[in-house]
Amino acid sequence: MPEKLITVDLKQSPYENANIHNRWHPDIPMACWVNPGDDFVLETYDWTGGYIQNNDSADDVRDVDLTTVHFLSGPVGVKGAEPGDLLVVDLLDIGAKEDSLWGFNGFFSKQNGGGFLTEHFPLAQKSIWDIEGMFTKSRHVPGVRYAGLIHPGLIGCLPDQKMLDMWNEREVDFIATNPTRVPALANAPFAKTAHAGKATGDVAAKIAAEGARTVPPREHGGNCDIKDLSRGSKIFFPVYVDGAGLSVGDLHFSQGDGEITFCGAIEMAGWVHMKVELIKGGMEKYGIKNPIFKPSPITPKYDDYLIFEGISVDEYGKQHYLDVHVAYRQACLNAIEYLKKFGYSGAQAYSILGTAPVQGHISGVVDIPNACATLWLPTDIFEFDINPTAAGPVKYLDGSIQMPISQDK
Ligand code: ZN
């Protein structure tokens, strides 16, 4: 068995585990060191550090303190890694923690996080998904069962001070363009809830004051939430600091393209078995600014889809110029309306789009004024036929099962 370099106890607060951190900063001390060629296992919390519970209330999704996330395992130092190198990471395998074979999906309240469709689903809701080997199903979303496409939502290397300063400057400037917006445009550094790993004293205080929040993907990768970066993938990360400082967390059992529900995919605590190598000077040699990766040879096999189109005219009839965000939103809303005809609530349909191996494609970005995006819904994940027929949709669900919802306080 490969060595388990980081363990987590789900009964313990992540703040008490010095091999966990929740900010990006070059001064976060390495949790451990490995050699190029080593393979090893890191355990991880779910991204909220265990705040969201396996129960039938969405109060935890409503109340979660989003300044605490994401709890990451690491950083792992790689001997010999220097700025300008590429760190090659093989995701040899990923799984759920044996004492936690379930995951959650939810929508944040518009008042606390929001999400892609927050105007349509402004209240906190939650669904719990049981993990049965390589499959999942939910007591809150009947009629679907599918194979997992397990991946880390968040993985990357530590920034150097210059890159960190650039991130903070551009994001703080961006927030200033509309500082009272709900939800916020971005998240500035926030010292009070920072977890600086092994750091103590003045170093910990500096990390807390300056540390970049983990929410957005950035040049180093980070919170990319790419469903195809799954177990079996090989990723090439830019290195900015000596030792690289690789951290990982936010494991997903499954997710649709876009992670549109934001809280989030099927979120789980688990473990990652990985192997690291170096390509010396690889950033310059290959012209790398953001990570690149090769996909897994193993993915769930769903060949038949019902594909929903969306264009960049929003749901209020307003014309937008080649805006793929608006177009994808329309494709998702169209799919939700369709699924409601089979007896799903809008929330259940939204949860399926956020968790199942749904594909999102940018289909056209030149035909002014409308971008076209498509949402590919695999038909075989359903226990019934969702194809359109002359007879019309058969109402498969009677509405007796619903997702927990929580009113704002
Ligand atoms: Zn996540």
Side-chain angles (χ1 to χ4, degrees):
M1 277 294 284
E3 197 179 354
K4 201 178 274 185
L5 296 181
I6 293 177
T7 58
V8 304
D9 176 356
L10 299 181
K11 292 187 218 66
Q12 182 190 39
S13 163
Y15 285 101
E16 291 164 16
N17 188 327
N19 294 326
I20 304 293
H21 64 100
N22 66 358
R23 299 290 190 268
W24 292 113
H25 196 289
D27 296 344
I28 297 172
M30 299 301 173
C32 51
W33 285 89
V34 299
N35 288 303
D38 285 353
D39 71 311
F40 52 90
V41 170
L42 308 180
E43 289 186 344
T44 71
Y45 285 91
D46 83 77
W47 74 299
T48 70
Y51 189 81
I52 307 297
Q53 297 289 307
N54 184 352
N55 59 25
D56 301 312
S57 163
D59 289 358
D60 47 13
V61 172
R62 177 191 63 194
D63 298 337
V64 61
D65 179 355
L66 290 174
T67 71
T68 64
V69 300
H70 301 65
F71 291 103
L72 306 178
S73 297
V76 176
V78 181
K79 288 176 195 164
E82 298 170 292
D85 294 346
L86 286 177
L87 182 67
V88 188
V89 178
D90 274 292
L91 298 177
L92 298 175
D93 203 0
I94 307 172
K97 255 177 85 69
E98 260 179 36
D99 53 344
S100 184
L101 296 179
W102 62 278
F104 63 88
N105 173 260
F107 330 145
F108 291 121
S109 158
K110 190 183 171 188
Q111 304 304 318
N112 183 34
F116 189 59
L117 301 180
T118 196
E119 301 302 328
H120 302 270
F121 300 91
L123 297 175
Q125 293 201 248
K126 183 168 88 176
S127 55
I128 298 296
W129 296 78
D130 292 319
I131 296 169
E132 297 177 335
M134 60 182 284
F135 294 97
T136 186
K137 62 187 175 57
S138 171
R139 63 180 180 270
H140 299 127
V141 185
V144 284
R145 177 178 183 267
Y146 42 85
L149 178 57
I150 308 179
H151 59 276
L154 203 163
I155 183 168
C157 296
L158 295 179
D160 60 16
Q161 188 72 44
K162 193 171 153 218
M163 176 161 275
L164 173 69
D165 293 344
M166 177 180 74
W167 292 350
N168 283 335
E169 191 182 326
R170 75 187 179 198
E171 288 173 29
V172 169
D173 286 353
F174 187 51
I175 293 166
T177 63
N178 189 355
T180 56
R181 186 179 188 272
V182 177
L185 285 174
N187 300 285
F190 186 77
K192 201 172 142 214
T193 51
H195 182 5
K198 282 189 194 322
T200 56
D202 290 347
V203 177
K206 179 172 157 58
I207 293 167
E210 300 176 350
R213 304 284 293 281
T214 56
V215 177
R218 298 189 182 92
E219 288 83 346
H220 69 148
N223 194 25
C224 289
D225 290 314
I226 302 168
K227 77 179 193 324
D228 306 290
L229 205 143
S230 57
R231 57 179 169 165
S233 298
K234 183 193 282 284
I235 320 166
F236 302 80
F237 286 107
V239 172
Y240 311 100
V241 301
D242 286 337
L246 177 71
S247 293
V248 63
D250 186 22
L251 300 187
H252 297 160
F253 188 79
S254 179
Q255 182 206 294
D257 279 339
E259 203 197 23
I260 60 171
T261 39
F262 192 26
C263 177
I266 295 176
E267 306 290 333
M268 67 178 197
W271 51 269
V272 184
H273 178 195
M274 57 177 113
K275 180 177 177 175
V276 293
E277 304 270 7
L278 289 172
I279 297 178
K280 297 301 292 178
M283 285 178 72
E284 173 81 32
K285 278 180 190 162
Y286 288 102
I288 300 291
K289 179 181 161 201
N290 297 66
I292 59 176
F293 72 98
K294 294 182 66 73
S296 173
I298 295 172
T299 53
K301 185 176 179 297
Y302 293 109
D303 292 333
D304 187 55
Y305 292 87
L306 196 56
I307 299 173
F308 295 85
E309 300 181 7
I311 58 170
S312 56
V313 176
D314 70 24
E315 53 271 51
Y316 313 106
K318 186 173 175 219
Q319 178 73 60
H320 296 259
Y321 182 74
L322 298 179
D323 186 329
V324 291
H325 183 270
V326 172
Y328 193 51
R329 195 166 79 226
Q330 303 319 303
C332 293
L333 288 168
N334 290 342
I336 290 170
E337 281 310 306
Y338 185 91
L339 288 173
K340 281 162 71 175
K341 301 296 184 190
F342 294 85
Y344 282 114
S345 67
Q348 288 170 328
Y350 187 19
S351 193
I352 291 169
L353 302 188
T355 59
V358 164
Q359 295 185 28
H361 291 240
I362 296 169
S363 300
V365 287
V366 293
D367 299 312
I368 56 170
N370 286 339
C372 178
T374 47
L375 179 134
W376 298 43
L377 184 62
T379 56
D380 292 337
I381 66 172
F382 293 91
E383 290 171 357
F384 53 95
D385 184 6
I386 65 158
N387 289 298
T389 65
V394 175
K395 229 176 192 182
Y396 181 82
L397 305 163
D398 64 7
S400 59
I401 297 172
Q402 292 293 333
M403 280 170 54
I405 185 167
S406 290
Q407 300 297 318
D408 286 325
K409 278 181 184 161

